[in-house]
Amino acid sequence: MPDRPIPADPAPLDRLSGLLEHCRVHARLFHQGPLCGVSAFPAEPGRGFLHVMRSGSLELRHAARSGLPRRLQVSEPSLLFYPRPLAHVFHNPPADGSDFVCAELDFGGGAANPLARALPPLVLLPLARVEGLAMSLQLLFAETERVRCGQRLLADRLFEVVLIQLLRWLLDHPAEAGVQPGLIAGLADPRLARALTALHEAPGEAWSLDAMARHAGMSRSSFAARFKAVLGQTPAAYLADWRLTLAQAALRSGRPVKQIADELGYAGASALSRRFSQRLGQSPRQWLARES
């Protein structure tokens, strides 16, 4: 008997909260004000950047093997978002340079963070394109213009608000942003997003292909084929990677392996250790020792 599609749930869906609650992104303000001449931003493991150009003009440069254009001209207020480590250089006018606020980004899990892996290497977007951004930026700029109690912490949190608004835009405009197969493309798909959101919010459930397909409102075979085409891996492989990402974050925080295994749906600490060895070539203890 052929698979029958299951009606999709029409209820509104929050595609980001469950993901970001488990894979936090932390911002740290490190510059506010004009940038004149040459400013270099080196690539460092686990670090991304979010630059907001308030005014002025900019020539943006990348290395020859970066996969990005060697030179880009930016002539209107814009967001420049680098989710992964990638060296870049700003060339601003020597006087009356462009006005910026800049933050470093720390994606929880570093290179293993599924969100960081799924994003384009650079998102360059005029500020006016992102709906609702103006009010957040107004608050951010107000916090960076004069020193007040709690300024640094509040500016960091406002940068994280700006980042969430940018991620919303990417989910609504994946083709325009140049999103490749992966998590963002999956979350941009109305049906796959329901299954992915359920996995993100309850990673320890006993997920079967049938259960995932029901959340997507699709037949089992259609769901499996579409998931592989849009995300570039099978549903089972994605779930295994997601659980490992969460396990790594929990290990960094000092949680015991047995407790982590129970929460993430493994049969026990030995089952989690086997999965670690299969996917990462080392046990949780060995991995944590190398991370320390």
Side-chain angles (χ1 to χ4, degrees):
M1 180 181 294
D3 291 326
R4 294 180 179 177
I6 303 167
D9 181 2
L13 183 68
D14 182 347
R15 295 170 286 174
L16 283 177
S17 291
L19 177 63
L20 292 175
E21 283 169 359
H22 287 294
C23 280
R24 297 295 303 273
V25 184
H26 297 283
R28 185 182 68 82
L29 175 75
F30 69 91
H31 175 81
Q32 65 270 356
L35 283 174
C36 303
V38 178
S39 303
F41 303 93
E44 294 185 7
R47 186 174 74 170
F49 288 96
L50 180 56
H51 307 285
V52 181
M53 189 176 83
R54 299 178 64 181
S55 61
S57 61
L58 163 69
E59 181 180 274
L60 180 59
R61 297 186 185 180
H62 304 106
R65 297 181 181 179
S66 66
L68 292 174
R70 294 289 303 276
R71 298 188 181 193
L72 288 169
Q73 297 292 333
V74 184
S75 57
E76 61 181 309
S78 298
L79 289 169
L80 298 92
F81 175 36
Y82 291 88
R84 297 185 293 280
L86 196 151
H88 50 288
V89 179
F90 289 176
H91 286 252
N92 298 108
D96 299 323
S98 303
D99 191 15
F100 281 88
V101 288
C102 304
E104 296 176 348
L105 301 176
D106 175 20
F107 282 81
N113 186 295
L115 183 59
R117 290 201 313 265
L119 290 164
L122 168 64
V123 177
L124 175 55
L125 191 64
L127 300 185
R129 295 284 302 282
V130 183
E131 183 180 357
L133 190 61
M135 186 174 296
S136 299
L137 289 177
Q138 183 179 1
L139 290 171
L140 176 61
F141 297 153
E143 284 303 315
T144 60
E145 285 171 353
R146 61 191 178 96
V147 176
R148 290 182 288 181
C149 294
Q151 176 203 34
R152 179 177 55 81
L153 291 177
L154 185 52
D156 291 349
R157 300 295 82 79
L158 287 169
F159 252 115
E160 291 166 10
V161 171
V162 170
L163 176 60
I164 291 172
Q165 290 178 308
L166 176 55
L167 292 173
R168 283 179 178 173
W169 186 91
L170 289 169
L171 291 178
D172 293 336
H173 305 83
E176 194 173 342
V179 170
Q180 300 300 308
L183 176 57
I184 296 297
L187 289 173
D189 183 292
R191 290 194 165 191
L192 295 184
R194 296 190 178 278
L196 286 166
T197 300
L199 295 181
H200 294 157
E201 292 179 347
E205 293 291 324
W207 288 105
S208 65
L209 184 60
D210 284 330
M212 296 182 206
R214 282 196 297 273
H215 275 278
M218 302 173 71
S219 70
R220 171 179 166 146
S221 58
S222 297
F223 172 74
R226 182 153 185 81
F227 196 104
K228 179 69 182 295
V230 175
L231 276 89
Q233 60 182 151
T234 65
Y238 179 83
L239 176 60
D241 285 348
W242 174 236
R243 286 173 169 168
L244 272 185
T245 298
L246 299 181
Q248 289 170 306
L251 285 168
R252 287 191 191 93
S253 68
R255 304 264 306 283
V257 174
K258 186 181 185 310
Q259 185 183 63
I260 297 169
D262 291 342
E263 290 183 2
L264 294 180
Y266 293 97
S270 59
L272 174 55
S273 295
R274 283 196 301 273
R275 176 61 70 177
F276 246 80
S277 297
Q278 291 167 358
R279 302 287 284 187
L280 302 174
Q282 52 194 330
S283 70
R285 181 175 296 177
Q286 291 168 332
W287 175 86
L288 189 59
R290 293 186 62 178
E291 288 286 304
S292 301

